[in-house]
Amino acid sequence: MLSSTTNYLALLPSGESNKPDEWESETVHAHTTPKPDHNVSFSFSVEIGREKNKRREAFEWRAVKKSERDDGMQNGGFKLLWLSPNAEQSDLGEGSSSQSTTNNSEGNGVVAILSWYSSLASPKHPFDLTIMGGDEFNRLGERCLLMVLVTALGLWWLHGQGKTSHRAIAVAEKITGKGKSVA
């Protein structure tokens, strides 16, 4: 993983079976949202599906606000949203519609939840990563699952450096002139 301010590159093995030693990079972009939402997100796109049915889809790790936290997220965390307008109905070529996600209030499928633990209370267990939907998630493909794991580790690494806060990302956006606030 290579980092530049709060954006970073996730390195994944090539998706082609005839090139097992090659790596491909996927960029993860940090964004802030303006008030009243005033939130933080990290977006990326990755190929989903298997074999002939592969296509690129957009995903976004969105910080969970204090008002949205449940008992398992008292120290904060992120929800991974599948940004496809039809995430719940997407046909992945293996059966009927996908039921691997749960919808949030914006209609985007929640694919995974990343929650932090206090480093003092649990130094060997810094976070939990919960994949929603169990076996149904496998229909998104190995590359997507690997990207979820790599980006979760990247967020943990940035979190440890204090780079997942709204202030840190807003400053990085001003310095680089990139990642303008997203409505």
Side-chain angles (χ1 to χ4, degrees), residues 91-109:
D91 179 15
L92 297 173
E94 297 179 18
S96 60
S97 66
S98 170
Q99 300 297 318
S100 64
T101 60
T102 57
N103 283 343
N104 68 5
S105 60
E106 298 167 5
N108 299 319

Side-chain angles (χ1 to χ4, degrees), residues 29-83:
H29 300 278
H31 307 279
T32 57
T33 56
K35 292 180 181 178
D37 188 34
H38 202 67
N39 206 352
V40 172
S41 64
F42 293 82
S43 59
F44 63 91
S45 63
V46 67
E47 292 173 347
I48 66 166
R50 299 185 186 275
E51 307 300 323
K52 300 174 188 173
N53 297 318
K54 286 185 180 181
R55 67 179 184 275
R56 288 191 79 75
E57 291 282 347
F59 293 85
E60 181 176 85
W61 284 105
R62 193 170 295 167
V64 177
K65 297 179 186 179
K66 287 183 181 181
S67 62
E68 298 172 349
R69 294 180 187 169
D70 59 16
D71 292 338
M73 294 191 87
Q74 62 268 28
N75 293 314
F78 287 83
K79 287 185 179 181
L80 180 61
L81 303 175
W82 185 357
L83 299 181

Side-chain angles (χ1 to χ4, degrees), residues 72 74-76 115-127 159:
Q74 62 268 28
N75 293 314
S115 54
W116 309 129
Y117 280 99
S118 167
S119 60
L120 297 175
S122 186
K124 292 184 180 181
H125 189 159
F127 63 87
H159 177 71

Side-chain angles (χ1 to χ4, degrees), residues 10-16 22-26 47 56 143:
L11 298 175
L12 300 175
S14 172
E16 299 178 34
E22 290 189 20
W23 294 83
E24 296 176 357
S25 63
E26 300 285 353
E47 292 173 347
R56 288 191 79 75
R143 188 168 181 80

